[in-house]
Amino acid sequence: MPKIIYITSTGTEHAVDADSGSSAMQTAVQHRIPGIDGDCGGVAACGTCHVWVDQNWLDKIGPARPGIEQEMLALTDGATPFSRLACQIELDDSHDGLVLRMPTDQH
């Protein structure tokens, strides 16, 4: 059970336990993390779960996937090379300590 650290745009940290096999978006919604809405239910059809992957984790998580994830991020304000849609990050035990930050426009 990995512990995931979500940091809101105001700097508040929320460390929560995630179920392996769940997405970072599902975990955030389950724990009511502010700034992660997941309006589309996890199909990469909105940007309401946009996160910035901490630089130390980007190699392990990887960049946004070609296709729908990259296309959605291209339409999302504040997208950077560290941007991912949390619904597209499937968590497992190797992600223990993963740090995800929310952009300033997500509160």
Side-chain angles (χ1 to χ4, degrees):
M1 182 174 287
K3 184 170 294 293
I4 310 301
I5 302 164
Y6 298 89
I7 303 176
T8 67
S9 62
T10 60
T12 303
E13 290 189 21
H14 301 270
V16 299
D17 291 326
D19 293 324
S20 290
S22 67
S23 73
M25 184 273 303
Q26 290 168 323
T27 300
V29 170
Q30 176 185 3
H31 291 280
R32 295 184 174 97
I33 304 298
I36 302 286
D37 294 332
D39 288 344
C40 72
V43 296
C46 72
T48 63
C49 69
H50 176 210
V51 293
W52 294 319
V53 176
D54 187 85
Q55 184 173 0
N56 296 327
W57 280 92
L58 192 59
D59 286 341
K60 186 164 204 78
I61 297 299
R65 295 178 186 161
I68 193 165
E69 184 178 9
Q70 285 183 350
E71 292 167 8
M72 182 52 59
L73 286 169
L75 301 172
T76 304
D77 290 336
T80 74
F82 300 100
S83 291
R84 289 295 308 268
L85 295 178
C87 66
Q88 300 301 299
I89 301 172
E90 186 174 331
L91 302 171
D92 61 42
D93 289 343
S94 71
H95 298 125
D96 189 47
L98 172 63
V99 177
L100 301 173
R101 299 175 190 279
M102 269 71 80
T104 55
D105 61 339
Q106 291 175 215
H107 323 288

